[in-house]
Amino acid sequence: MSRSTPRNILFVMFDQLRFDYLSCAGHPFLETPHIDALAARGVRFSRAYVQSPICGASRMSFYTGRYVQSHGAAWNNYPLKAGEMTLGDHLRARGMDAVLIGKTHMKVDDAGLDRLGISRAGIIGARIAECGFDARVRDDGLWAEGADGPYDAKPSPYNAYLREKGYDGCNPWHDHANSAIRGDGGTGDVETGWLMRNARKPANIREEDSETPWLTEQAIAFLEERRAARTAVPWLCHLSYIKPHWPYIVPPPYHALYGVDDVVAAVRAEAERVDPNPVHAAFMQSHASRGFARDEVRNAVIPAYMGLIKQCDDQIGRLMSYLEDSGRLKDTIVVLTSDHGDYLGDHWLGEKDLFHDPSVKVPMVVYDPSPEADVTRGTTCDALVEAIDLAATFVDVAGGDVPGHILEGRSLRPFLHGEVPTDWRDFAVSEYDYSCTPMAEALGLAPGDARLFMVVDRRWKLIHAEGSLPPMLFDLENDPDELVDLGRDPGHSGMVRDMRDKLGNWARRESQRTTVSDAQILARRAGAGGRTGVLIGAYDEDDVTAQDLEPYTGRITRTMQKTSDER
Amino acid sequence: MSRSTPRNILFVMFDQLRFDYLSCAGHPFLETPHIDALAARGVRFSRAYVQSPICGASRMSFYTGRYVQSHGAAWNNYPLKAGEMTLGDHLRARGMDAVLIGKTHMKVDDAGLDRLGISRAGIIGARIAECGFDARVRDDGLWAEGADGPYDAKPSPYNAYLREKGYDGCNPWHDHANSAIRGDGGTGDVETGWLMRNARKPANIREEDSETPWLTEQAIAFLEERRAARTAVPWLCHLSYIKPHWPYIVPPPYHALYGVDDVVAAVRAEAERVDPNPVHAAFMQSHASRGFARDEVRNAVIPAYMGLIKQCDDQIGRLMSYLEDSGRLKDTIVVLTSDHGDYLGDHWLGEKDLFHDPSVKVPMVVYDPSPEADVTRGTTCDALVEAIDLAATFVDVAGGDVPGHILEGRSLRPFLHGEVPTDWRDFAVSEYDYSCTPMAEALGLAPGDARLFMVVDRRWKLIHAEGSLPPMLFDLENDPDELVDLGRDPGHSGMVRDMRDKLGNWARRESQRTTVSDAQILARRAGAGGRTGVLIGAYDEDDVTAQDLEPYTGRITRTMQKTSDER
C-alpha cells in the first residue's frame, strides 16, 4: 500500500476496555485479530494512562488535552466550563473539521453559556455544548431511567434508530439492546441487563442493530459522505463506542463465544484485605466491588465482557476494511484507545475509580500512514504516555506548533517515527475526585478532600490521598500485579516522599496561563514591542537613550501649577 | 453616628503603596491622619499579602478572588481569559452593581471573545473587557509612549480631562501631571518625571487637576448621581487610584513637604550581597535596583513618594467627609488597600517583584458600619490575610453564601465582628511569574521555569523557585527585617521541606471545579436526583429494590435477535 502524509484522523474510543483484554496485549483466551492487525500496522503503547479512571473526567482530558485539575470537570456530569478550549477549537483553527459519532459524556455548562450570552442555537454555542465537536451523532449510551427521571435527558439517536427498525417499547435501548428475553423465547418480560445474572444470556436484538455495529455504520456513512463530497477539508472523526461498558450483555453469537473456562483468575490476594489502606477498604465496600468479589458474578460477567470486546474487534475489522477499500488508510491516522479500564474483581474491586493498572491503564494503538512511520510498524512502546498526549498528537498532525501553554500533553509522533525524545516525561499523573460517592461519605470527607492523585514512574506508583489519609505505594518492578501496598511501610517513607515531591512539581505547573504562549513570552523578553516609553529605574539622562526620551522632550508647555483662582 | 447593616462597598485601591508608609502602621515621619482615622473606625489588617507582587497579576486576583495559578493572568498584560468569573459576576447575581473608577490593568482576551462569539459592543462583552466592572472611568494611568507606540492604546479619560481644562500638548498626562517645568518657571521644555532626578520638583499641574484628586472627584460624582437617582440597587464602587506609583512626582504643596531628613534608612545589609540567592542576585541587577542602591536616588524619590501618599491621604479625607455628610458612612463598607508595595532600595532592590514584606505586604483597612463591628473599631488584626479575601468579603456583604468552589479567599467579616475563625488558614501564598523579564534571561530560564512561590506562616517565609534554583527562607520571628536568607542553610533543610510541603498541599487544591458547588456535591452524595436507573453492581433481584427495577420490568416485547433476512 502506498502511504503518504496523514491528512485525517480517525479517533476511536471504547468505553471501559481494559488494557489487557486484547490478544496483542497478551490475553490468553480472547482473540482480537483486527485490533492486533491495527497494532501490527502501527505502534502499541503499553504504558498509556488515562487522566482519571472515570468516564467524564477522563474524556474531558482527552478532549481538552489538559489534566483534570486544569479543566475542572472532575467527575461524571460535572459541566466542562464554557471557554475551556477543546480539540475542535484547536483543529478548526488549523483547517480541520472535528466530528463526533457516539459518546462524550460531556455535560453542558448552561450557567456559563447564559453568563456569557452564548446561545446554543448558534454554531459556537452548539459546539461548546458538544465539547467542541460538530456532533453528527451524539449518543452517550446510558438511557437509564428511575424514580427521579432519566439519567440522560437528551434525545437518544439510538432509540430513534431502533424504533425506526421496528423495535418496540418506550426504551428499546433497554428492552432490546441491553436485555435478554425471558423463558421460551416468545413473548414475555425482558430479563434486564442491569442484573448481572443475565449477562450471559443473548441480548434481545439483531446483532447488526446493536450499539457497536450501529456506531460503526454511522462512521462509515460519514466517511462515504466525505468521499462523495470530495471536500478538501481534512477531518478528525471521533468514533466513540459505548461498549464494552455495562450493562454487560451482548447479542448472538457473541453471548456464547466465551464460557467460564475463559475467565482468567482475578488478580487479588487475601493479604490485600488485611489492614488495607482506608481508601481501598472503602472502595472494596462498594456495590460493584462486593459483587465482583463473588465468583458467580465474575463467571457471568466476564464471558459477556469478552463477547462485547469480540464484537468491538469485528467492527474494527469492518471499519479497517472500509478504510482500506476507500483509500483512506493511506491518508488517515487511526487511533484506538479507551477512557479507562474495569477491575472485574481484581484487587477485590469492581468498576474503575482507583489506580491499579486494570483501571487506569488503557489500550492505545496508533497507526500513522506516513513513510516515516514504517520503522515502527508492529512495535510496542513502553514510554509513559498520558491520554492528553493524543490531543497534542492530533494538533501536531493538523499542522503548526502544539500550543504548550494550553495543551498539557505532548505529541506522540516522534515515537511513531522511531525518534525517542530525550526529554520525555519521567512520571505520569492521574487523578480521581470521589467527592460525590458513598465512599467519601463513609470516610467522612468533605468535597475537595475526597481526591486522589496517582504518580507513576518507570518503577514506582504512588497514590496520594487528600484528607490526611495514608498513601498507597506499589513497586511495579518486584510486584507487577500491585498486590503489596508499601504506602505505610516505614522502610518506604523516603520513596513516598520522593514520589510526592514529583506530584508537587506537577501541581505547581502553570496550567491556566492559556492566553499567552511561550513564544510570545520569549519575544517580549527579547524586547519585541516593548519600547513603549515606560522608563523604570532611570535617574538621569545617563540611564536612558535619547530615543527613549524623545517622546518626552522638546515640547514647549505652560506652567500650570497654580489653581484656577490664583491665576 | 447611627450605623446599620452595610449595603454598599467602597473598594479603594492605591498602586504601589507600601504597608509601612502610613502613620498608623508606624512610619516615623509621614503623617496620614485620614487613613489613620479610617483605621480608627475599622480594623487594620497588619499581615495582608497580595497574591502577586506585580500590578496585573495581583489585581486579577483581587478582582476574581482567585490565586494567580487559578486565573492564569500571571503578569502585566497577560489577558484574563474570557469566561473567568469576576467580582462583577458574583455581585450582580446578588443584586449589586459593580462600578469601576480608575485602574484595573486588565488586558482583554480578544482571542477568547472572538472564539466565543462575544461582541465587545454588547453589555456582556463590555463587562468582560472591563474585568467584570461597569467602567464609569477606566484609566490605568500609564500613558507612556515610545518607539514601538503607546504602552496603553486605549483612549485616556484623564488626558481628555486635562485637555478640557486647558492643558496643552498631545500627552498632558506626561507633560503636566508627570513632569516638572524647566528653569525659570516660564515656558520651556518639561523636566520629565520619568527621570528620578526630577522627583522632588513640582509637577507642572494644578494640584486639583492631578490624578489623585481627579479620581476622587469622579468617585464623588458617582456617589452624587446615585444619591440623586434614589435607586434601591446597592453598589460596589472600585475607586482605583494610580498613585503613589511612579513616575514619582507630585504637584505643590506636596512636592516640598518632605526632605532628605524624612527618608528612613534602607532595610538592607551588606551580607545580603554576599553569595545571594541567584534570583535575588538577578533582581539586584535590574535597572530599578541598581538605581535604588544609590543614596541620591532614594533621597530624590522617597520624599516625592511620601508627598504622593500625603496627597492620597488628603483625598481619603475628602472622600470620607463626603461619605459622612451624605449619610453613606452609615451603610457603606469602606476598604483601603494596595496592589503591592515598593522596595525603595530595601534589600538592594527597587520596584516590587520579590517577596520581602515591603513588596508583598500591603495596607489593608476595612471599615464596617454594622453595630456588630463596634467591638473591633480601631483594632489591628494580625491574621494571615490574602488579597483574595476581599472578593469573598464583598460577596458575603452582598448576601448569600460565598461560592467556595470559585472564590478561593474567605470573608473577613468574622474578624470585623470580633469572631476569630478557629479554622483560619495557617499559611498564605503569593506567586510571581517573571518569565518576560531580563532576569529570566540572565538566569537562563524557560517560560514556566521563571516562577516563584512564597509560602508564609506565622513565623517562616519560604520562597520556592522553579527552574531547580535554591529557595530562600526567612525566620520572621528572629529576623523580622528578612536580612538573613536561611534557604541554603543545611540546618534549615527540614524547615524548607515543611514549608514546601505546605506549598504542595496548596498546589493540589481543586481550583477549576467551578461549575459544581460543594453543596451540589453533598446533595448528590446524599442521593438527590440520583435514582435515574443506573444499577451498578447488581447481580440479581436481591441487590436492588423493586422500585429500582420497575422501569425495566413488566413489558411485553418481541424476540428481535434474528436478522431481518432470517425472519
Side-chain angles (χ1 to χ4, degrees):
Chain A
M1 187 186 67
S2 73
R3 296 193 176 90
S4 62
T5 304
R7 289 169 38 78
N8 309 307
I9 300 164
L10 181 60
F11 172 25
V12 179
M13 189 178 288
F14 293 103
D15 196 322
Q16 200 138 334
L17 174 61
R18 275 174 69 124
F19 78 98
D20 56 353
Y21 270 58
L22 301 173
S23 40
C24 59
H27 197 283
F29 308 119
L30 178 62
E31 293 294 332
T32 51
H34 301 294
I35 295 173
D36 294 2
L38 183 67
R41 282 171 147 148
V43 174
R44 185 170 67 83
F45 292 92
S46 59
R47 298 197 67 185
Y49 295 96
V50 289
Q51 258 47 69
S52 185
I54 188 158
C55 295
S58 171
R59 287 162 181 272
M60 295 309 104
S61 284
F62 273 108
Y63 305 147
T64 62
R66 290 160 61 72
Y67 291 104
V68 176
Q69 199 197 26
S70 303
H71 63 64
W75 209 60
N76 288 338
N77 301 317
Y78 283 21
L80 182 70
K81 65 180 90 171
E84 187 71 21
M85 286 185 79
T86 58
L87 262 182
D89 293 309
H90 296 290
L91 296 181
R92 275 190 292 273
R94 289 160 179 78
M96 183 181 275
D97 285 346
V99 173
L100 168 69
I101 294 171
K103 172 170 181 169
T104 61
H105 217 131
M106 195 261 191
K107 173 85 169 175
V108 190
D109 175 17
D110 283 317
L113 287 175
D114 286 350
R115 193 174 66 246
L116 297 170
I118 301 172
S119 165
R120 289 175 64 167
I123 184 73
I124 291 175
R127 284 170 172 164
I128 290 175
E130 291 293 3
C131 208
F133 293 107
D134 287 316
R136 188 181 164 93
V137 178
R138 165 74 187 275
D139 192 297
D140 280 359
L142 267 182
W143 306 106
E145 44 189 323
D148 290 331
Y151 175 80
D152 187 338
K154 296 189 291 295
S156 163
Y158 182 56
N159 264 338
Y161 167 80
L162 291 181
R163 279 189 211 102
E164 192 180 290
K165 284 280 185 173
Y167 292 87
D168 57 0
C170 61
N171 187 356
W173 170 83
H174 173 264
D175 298 348
H176 293 280
N178 287 284
S179 290
I181 198 91
R182 181 163 294 173
D184 61 2
T187 57
D189 283 358
V190 296
E191 298 263 33
T192 177
W194 284 117
L195 297 181
M196 294 187 288
R197 70 163 167 75
N198 296 322
R200 294 194 57 198
K201 294 177 180 164
N204 182 26
I205 193 166
R206 292 187 290 271
E207 193 273 331
E208 69 200 51
D209 293 330
S210 59
E211 291 155 291
T212 304
W214 172 69
L215 283 168
T216 308
E217 185 66 32
Q218 301 300 313
I220 291 174
F222 163 75
L223 296 168
E224 276 293 282
E225 276 181 31
R226 280 278 168 159
R227 181 155 73 159
R230 298 177 173 277
T231 169
V233 179
W235 46 262
L236 173 141
C237 175
H238 181 39
L239 171 56
S240 188
Y241 288 106
I242 288 150
K243 294 297 176 182
H245 193 284
W246 40 256
Y248 303 106
I249 192 162
V250 64
Y254 298 101
H255 78 293
L257 293 185
Y258 302 98
V260 172
D261 291 347
D262 300 308
V263 174
V264 295
V267 178
R268 62 192 181 199
E270 275 303 328
E272 290 181 283
R273 299 208 275 192
V274 179
D275 187 27
N277 179 289
V279 177
H280 194 177
F283 277 85
M284 284 183 194
Q285 292 307 312
S286 78
H287 252 237
S289 297
R290 282 182 285 134
F292 277 96
R294 291 150 60 187
D295 284 343
E296 64 183 343
V297 171
R298 296 188 79 247
N299 290 339
V301 165
I302 291 175
Y305 182 71
M306 293 168 71
L308 284 163
I309 295 167
K310 185 71 179 172
Q311 185 186 29
C312 290
D313 186 68
D314 283 342
Q315 292 299 315
I316 291 297
R318 180 184 168 203
L319 194 62
M320 292 302 289
S321 292
Y322 175 83
L323 290 177
E324 184 132 36
D325 295 347
S326 62
R328 286 290 72 75
L329 213 50
K330 286 185 306 205
D331 60 12
T332 303
I333 294 250
V334 182
V335 172
L336 187 150
T337 190
S338 176
D339 60 348
H340 53 73
D342 190 327
Y343 272 110
L344 296 175
D346 290 357
H347 309 288
W348 309 101
L349 296 167
E351 276 279 86
K352 45 265 181 180
D353 306 80
L354 297 187
F355 297 99
H356 300 89
D357 277 0
S359 173
V360 73
K361 217 165 87 169
V362 288
M364 191 175 288
V365 176
V366 183
Y367 158 76
D368 176 352
S370 317
E372 293 84 353
D374 288 347
V375 293
T376 62
R377 298 195 193 286
T379 62
T380 299
C381 174
D382 70 351
L384 292 169
V385 164
E386 298 184 340
I388 55 176
D389 294 333
L390 287 184
T393 305
F394 299 159
V395 170
D396 187 13
V397 169
D401 290 337
V402 175
H405 62 302
I406 304 172
L407 295 175
E408 298 188 292
R410 291 182 61 181
S411 175
L412 299 174
R413 265 182 137 184
F415 292 112
L416 304 177
H417 296 179
E419 303 148 8
V420 178
T422 54
D423 61 346
W424 194 252
R425 71 173 64 88
D426 54 11
F427 63 92
V429 174
S430 189
E431 306 170 66
Y432 187 52
D433 181 338
Y434 59 108
S435 300
C436 279
T437 71
M439 285 64 90
E441 188 68 17
L443 291 165
L445 296 172
D449 282 343
R451 290 189 301 136
L452 306 171
F453 295 87
M454 176 197 79
V455 189
V456 64
D457 65 15
R458 298 202 64 82
R459 175 167 175 187
W460 299 95
K461 183 190 278 187
L462 174 80
I463 292 101
H464 168 82
E466 298 296 322
S468 303
L469 292 166
M472 301 178 74
L473 180 74
F474 298 105
D475 178 348
L476 303 180
E477 191 171 297
N478 293 311
D479 174 30
D481 286 338
E482 307 175 280
L483 295 170
V484 183
D485 172 14
L486 302 166
R488 288 163 291 161
D489 170 31
H492 286 84
S493 61
M495 185 51 60
V496 166
R497 183 165 271 295
D498 289 351
M499 295 299 282
R500 200 175 269 157
D501 282 349
K502 292 184 181 186
L503 179 61
N505 292 341
W506 171 86
R508 292 192 309 272
R509 77 199 181 281
E510 195 171 30
S511 67
Q512 304 301 320
R513 193 250 294 153
T514 54
T515 59
V516 184
S517 70
D518 286 13
Q520 287 172 310
I521 288 173
L522 293 175
R524 277 203 213 189
R525 193 193 289 181
R531 293 172 306 167
T532 55
V534 172
L535 307 179
I536 302 174
Y539 181 74
D540 57 22
E541 284 78 355
D542 292 344
D543 294 329
V544 290
T545 67
Q547 192 192 26
D548 288 335
L549 281 181
E550 192 278 328
Y552 304 126
T553 52
R555 288 171 179 161
I556 306 303
T557 188
R558 294 175 292 160
T559 297
M560 297 286 278
Q561 287 164 4
K562 290 177 184 167
T563 65
S564 311
D565 291 341
E566 288 171 320
R567 279 191 305 159
Chain B
M1 188 184 68
S2 72
R3 296 192 177 93
S4 63
T5 305
R7 289 170 38 79
N8 309 307
I9 300 164
L10 181 60
F11 171 25
V12 180
M13 189 179 287
F14 292 103
D15 196 320
Q16 201 140 334
L17 174 61
R18 275 175 69 124
F19 78 98
D20 56 353
Y21 270 58
L22 300 173
S23 40
C24 60
H27 197 285
F29 309 120
L30 178 62
E31 292 294 331
T32 51
H34 301 294
I35 295 173
D36 294 2
L38 182 67
R41 282 171 147 148
V43 174
R44 185 170 67 82
F45 292 92
S46 59
R47 297 197 66 185
Y49 295 96
V50 289
Q51 257 49 68
S52 185
I54 187 156
C55 295
S58 172
R59 287 163 180 272
M60 295 309 104
S61 284
F62 273 108
Y63 305 147
T64 62
R66 291 160 60 74
Y67 291 104
V68 175
Q69 199 197 27
S70 303
H71 63 64
W75 209 60
N76 288 338
N77 301 316
Y78 282 21
L80 181 70
K81 65 180 87 169
E84 186 72 21
M85 287 183 78
T86 57
L87 261 181
D89 293 309
H90 296 291
L91 296 181
R92 274 190 293 273
R94 289 160 179 78
M96 183 181 274
D97 286 346
V99 173
L100 168 69
I101 294 170
K103 173 169 180 169
T104 62
H105 217 130
M106 195 261 189
K107 173 85 170 175
V108 190
D109 175 16
D110 282 317
L113 287 174
D114 286 350
R115 194 174 65 246
L116 297 170
I118 301 171
S119 164
R120 289 177 62 168
I123 184 73
I124 291 174
R127 283 170 172 163
I128 290 175
E130 290 294 3
C131 208
F133 293 106
D134 287 316
R136 188 182 163 94
V137 177
R138 165 73 186 275
D139 193 296
D140 280 358
L142 268 183
W143 306 105
E145 44 190 323
D148 291 329
Y151 175 79
D152 187 338
K154 295 190 291 295
S156 163
Y158 182 57
N159 264 338
Y161 167 82
L162 291 181
R163 279 188 211 103
E164 191 181 289
K165 284 279 184 172
Y167 292 87
D168 58 0
C170 60
N171 187 356
W173 170 83
H174 174 264
D175 298 348
H176 293 281
N178 288 283
S179 290
I181 198 89
R182 181 163 295 172
D184 61 1
T187 58
D189 283 357
V190 296
E191 298 263 35
T192 178
W194 285 117
L195 297 181
M196 295 187 288
R197 69 165 167 75
N198 296 323
R200 294 194 57 197
K201 294 176 182 166
N204 181 25
I205 193 167
R206 292 186 290 270
E207 192 273 332
E208 69 200 52
D209 292 331
S210 61
E211 292 154 291
T212 304
W214 172 69
L215 283 168
T216 308
E217 185 66 32
Q218 301 300 313
I220 290 173
F222 163 74
L223 295 168
E224 277 290 282
E225 277 180 31
R226 281 278 168 158
R227 180 154 74 158
R230 297 176 173 276
T231 169
V233 180
W235 45 262
L236 174 140
C237 175
H238 181 40
L239 172 55
S240 189
Y241 288 107
I242 288 150
K243 294 296 176 183
H245 193 284
W246 42 255
Y248 303 106
I249 191 163
V250 63
Y254 299 100
H255 79 293
L257 293 186
Y258 302 98
V260 172
D261 291 346
D262 300 308
V263 174
V264 293
V267 177
R268 63 192 181 199
E270 275 303 327
E272 290 181 284
R273 299 207 274 192
V274 179
D275 188 26
N277 179 289
V279 178
H280 194 176
F283 277 85
M284 284 182 194
Q285 293 308 310
S286 77
H287 252 238
S289 297
R290 281 182 286 133
F292 278 95
R294 290 150 60 188
D295 284 343
E296 65 182 342
V297 171
R298 295 188 79 247
N299 289 338
V301 165
I302 291 176
Y305 181 71
M306 292 168 71
L308 284 163
I309 295 168
K310 185 72 179 171
Q311 184 186 30
C312 290
D313 185 69
D314 283 342
Q315 291 300 314
I316 291 298
R318 180 184 168 202
L319 193 62
M320 292 301 290
S321 292
Y322 174 83
L323 290 176
E324 183 132 35
D325 295 347
S326 63
R328 286 289 73 75
L329 213 49
K330 286 185 306 202
D331 60 12
T332 303
I333 294 250
V334 182
V335 173
L336 186 151
T337 189
S338 176
D339 60 347
H340 53 73
D342 191 326
Y343 272 110
L344 296 175
D346 290 357
H347 309 288
W348 309 100
L349 296 167
E351 276 279 86
K352 44 266 181 180
D353 306 82
L354 297 187
F355 297 100
H356 300 87
D357 277 359
S359 173
V360 74
K361 216 164 88 167
V362 288
M364 191 176 287
V365 176
V366 183
Y367 158 76
D368 176 351
S370 317
E372 293 84 353
D374 287 348
V375 292
T376 62
R377 299 194 191 285
T379 63
T380 299
C381 174
D382 70 351
L384 293 169
V385 165
E386 298 184 340
I388 55 176
D389 294 333
L390 287 183
T393 305
F394 298 159
V395 171
D396 187 12
V397 169
D401 290 337
V402 176
H405 62 301
I406 305 172
L407 295 175
E408 299 189 290
R410 291 182 62 180
S411 174
L412 298 175
R413 262 183 139 186
F415 291 112
L416 303 177
H417 296 177
E419 304 147 8
V420 177
T422 54
D423 62 344
W424 193 253
R425 71 173 63 89
D426 54 10
F427 63 92
V429 174
S430 189
E431 305 168 67
Y432 187 52
D433 180 337
Y434 59 109
S435 299
C436 279
T437 70
M439 285 64 90
E441 188 68 17
L443 292 165
L445 297 172
D449 282 343
R451 291 188 301 136
L452 306 171
F453 295 88
M454 175 198 80
V455 189
V456 64
D457 64 15
R458 298 203 64 81
R459 175 166 175 187
W460 298 95
K461 182 189 279 186
L462 175 81
I463 292 101
H464 167 82
E466 298 296 323
S468 303
L469 292 166
M472 301 178 74
L473 180 74
F474 297 106
D475 178 349
L476 303 181
E477 192 171 297
N478 293 311
D479 175 30
D481 286 338
E482 308 174 278
L483 295 170
V484 183
D485 172 14
L486 303 166
R488 288 164 291 162
D489 171 30
H492 286 84
S493 61
M495 184 51 61
V496 166
R497 182 165 272 294
D498 289 350
M499 295 299 282
R500 200 176 269 157
D501 282 349
K502 292 184 180 187
L503 180 61
N505 293 341
W506 171 85
R508 293 191 310 271
R509 77 198 181 283
E510 195 170 31
S511 67
Q512 303 302 319
R513 192 250 295 154
T514 55
T515 59
V516 184
S517 70
D518 286 12
Q520 286 172 312
I521 288 173
L522 293 174
R524 277 201 212 188
R525 193 193 290 182
R531 293 172 306 168
T532 55
V534 172
L535 308 178
I536 301 175
Y539 181 73
D540 58 21
E541 285 78 354
D542 292 345
D543 294 330
V544 290
T545 67
Q547 191 191 25
D548 288 337
L549 280 181
E550 194 278 328
Y552 303 128
T553 53
R555 288 171 179 159
I556 306 303
T557 190
R558 292 175 293 160
T559 298
M560 296 287 278
Q561 286 164 3
K562 291 177 183 165
T563 65
S564 310
D565 290 342
E566 289 170 321
R567 280 191 302 160

